[in-house]
Amino acid sequence: MERSPLAPVAFPDLPVIPGVTPRIARARYKTWDRCDLTFVTLDEGTSVAGVLTQSRCPSPEVEWCRKALVLGQARALVVNAGNSNAFTGDRGRAAVENLAARTARHLGCDPSDVFLASTGVIGVPLPIDKSEAGLAAAFTAEPCSWEAAAETIMTTDTFAKAAMTSAVVDGRTVNLVGIIKGSGMIAPDMATMLGFVFTDAAVAPEFLQRALNDANTRTFSCITVDGDTSTSDTILAFATGKAGNAPLAQDEDAGADAFRAALADLCHQLAQLVVRDGEGAQKLIEITVEGAESDRSAHRIAMSIANSPLVKTAVAGEDANWGRVVMAVGKAGEPAERDRLAIRFGATQVARDGLAVAGYDEAPVAAHLKGQEIEIGVDLGLGEGRATVWTCDLTHGYISINADYRS
């Protein structure tokens, strides 16, 4: 598959995270010649937090993680690519239990210390024979690079996605690394496909969960490719404590704000990478709504614009059709007054007080739309509510990818 034109130039140079060892193997879930099972071991004492899909039809892996997260500790992560194992009944649940049990026996831990995620076609049970063979191969594989791990969790992605950041906590520098996959079926009911964050910071599970929840609200829950929410969406964060800082447990602890900021920054980077690899994407679109009655209202309006096929196709065609933005604001079901509405494309105001700006010149807007990064701004003129979300354009490429996804 052709690499997205919005992809970074190169894979980032990521640091080793003490207490984290990734390995990969071939389970051969599909007829492809590549690794498709990722196995990450985590040293004892690793804390875990997670945010999972809000789909009412979640995969067995999501249900497993939801229960295991209550305990707040982790020793391993197993990720399968090519088969989501969702909507597979007892066979799917048996496959998850089998993988967790085998991994636990290998590591000498409880099955609840093993976290699992799968991504791919819905409705096909994860083949236990293939998953067992892949897991066995991963147990004895040599540790791999972050890039190899990021490549292994991909499905329709056109490039491997990863990011890093750091913070000073309790006088010590802690590192955070994240890998993620996602290209389609992306919507903000959590909001990406599969993402995994690893840090050597010492962080109590409850604090890590609060920090991840806050980061998610401003990042993964602010992206959309196609408005569809996966059955398997999973973000997990693991903290090994190997940096030796005094464990973060309260917001008042030294370095707590710095860690929160670093985690939010990492999640922002990862979320942006997913949108940049939206299926068929040629343009990244940032939509900012301000002047709403509340932040929540602004977010709902911004998502209405971001999920509009008419807005997304207009951007794809480089057509300055701001009337479609008006349509998307109006259909959002949130407070809006036509005669207070203002709209801009890039730095150019195109409409104000409910009608086109006098003497509006479309030329600078047309020039802006020819770029790869597009800005759309809306001011409702009602209050202080504000939100920013990110999406991509809708092209023929999206249809081509999804019309034959199972082949």
Side-chain angles (χ1 to χ4, degrees):
M1 194 177 298
E2 185 178 351
R3 185 178 174 89
S4 169
L6 305 175
V9 174
F11 192 86
D13 184 16
L14 305 179
V16 170
I17 300 296
V20 180
T21 306
R23 295 179 170 87
I24 57 175
R26 284 177 168 81
R28 304 188 188 281
Y29 292 121
K30 296 181 70 174
T31 55
W32 50 21
D33 185 24
R34 48 159 282 195
C35 290
D36 50 8
L37 185 147
T38 304
F39 171 57
V40 182
T41 56
L42 305 157
D43 282 5
E44 288 188 45
T46 296
S47 299
V48 61
V51 185
L52 304 164
T53 183
Q54 294 182 29
S55 170
R56 296 300 180 92
C57 299
S59 69
E61 285 85 345
V62 167
E63 293 177 321
W64 178 274
C65 288
R66 189 167 282 140
K67 293 178 181 178
L69 281 168
V70 174
L71 302 175
Q73 59 188 28
R75 289 294 313 283
L77 169 68
V78 179
V79 186
N80 305 296
N83 182 313
S84 77
N85 195 39
F87 209 72
T88 52
D90 290 339
R91 290 176 62 189
R93 285 187 285 273
V96 168
E97 292 169 1
N98 180 65
L99 277 175
R102 285 180 174 271
T103 304
R105 285 197 298 272
H106 175 70
L107 295 176
C109 65
D110 293 332
S112 58
D113 294 336
V114 179
F115 287 77
L116 302 107
S118 300
T119 177
V121 174
I122 294 171
V124 180
L126 192 72
I128 290 181
D129 55 343
K130 291 183 178 181
S131 64
E132 287 179 345
L135 194 59
F139 287 162
T140 58
E142 291 294 317
C144 71
S145 66
W146 286 120
E147 185 170 11
E151 290 173 345
T152 300
I153 66 175
M154 290 167 46
T155 51
T156 60
D157 306 59
T158 69
F159 64 91
K161 304 172 181 65
M164 66 159 291
T165 188
S166 62
V168 176
V169 177
D170 188 33
R172 300 172 184 268
T173 298
V174 302
N175 290 315
L176 297 87
V177 162
I179 61 174
I180 199 164
K181 67 85 53 187
S183 188
M185 205 179 287
I186 305 298
D189 286 334
M190 194 295 296
T192 181
M193 291 290 286
L194 303 183
F196 310 103
V197 172
F198 306 92
T199 178
D200 55 0
V203 188
E206 296 81 5
F207 180 88
L208 186 60
Q209 187 64 61
R210 292 197 301 273
L212 184 62
N213 287 345
D214 290 346
N216 168 67
T217 299
R218 291 177 283 152
T219 59
F220 299 120
S221 285
C222 292
I223 64 171
T224 179
V225 168
D226 46 24
D228 286 332
T229 299
S230 168
T231 58
S232 308
D233 294 339
T234 299
I235 295 291
L236 296 171
F238 303 95
T240 66
K242 297 297 184 180
N245 61 284
L248 294 173
Q250 305 296 332
D251 290 339
E252 298 77 21
D253 292 343
D257 287 345
F259 179 81
R260 278 179 170 272
L263 180 60
D265 175 52
L266 182 68
C267 292
H268 177 80
Q269 292 182 60
L270 294 173
Q272 293 287 301
L273 291 172
V274 171
V275 179
R276 287 181 176 276
D277 201 19
E279 289 172 343
Q282 300 292 309
K283 299 177 187 293
L284 175 71
I285 309 170
E286 179 179 279
I287 299 165
T288 299
V289 173
E290 54 192 351
E293 286 196 350
S294 66
D295 290 348
R296 179 180 178 277
S297 181
H299 180 83
R300 289 176 62 88
I301 293 170
M303 293 308 302
S304 177
I305 299 167
N307 281 323
S308 166
L310 290 177
V311 172
K312 290 157 69 73
T313 50
V315 173
E318 300 175 353
D319 177 13
N321 191 343
W322 54 268
R324 293 183 176 181
V325 177
V326 175
M327 173 278 299
V329 171
K331 75 170 186 175
E334 292 295 316
E337 293 186 21
R338 180 197 60 206
D339 295 340
R340 293 189 181 188
L341 187 63
I343 298 170
R344 66 173 174 82
F345 278 64
T348 305
Q349 201 73 34
V350 301
R352 184 184 293 114
D353 299 328
L355 71 166
V357 170
Y360 163 56
D361 180 5
E362 193 170 294
V365 176
H368 179 67
L369 289 172
K370 291 186 180 300
Q372 288 188 331
E373 299 188 7
I374 310 303
E375 296 179 15
I376 298 175
V378 172
D379 191 335
L380 297 166
L382 298 178
E384 301 299 320
R386 191 180 190 281
T388 300
V389 305
W390 296 269
T391 188
C392 57
D393 56 342
L394 180 59
T395 70
H396 291 289
Y398 181 88
I399 297 171
S400 298
I401 292 167
N402 286 286
D404 61 359
Y405 179 68
R406 294 196 304 165
S407 62

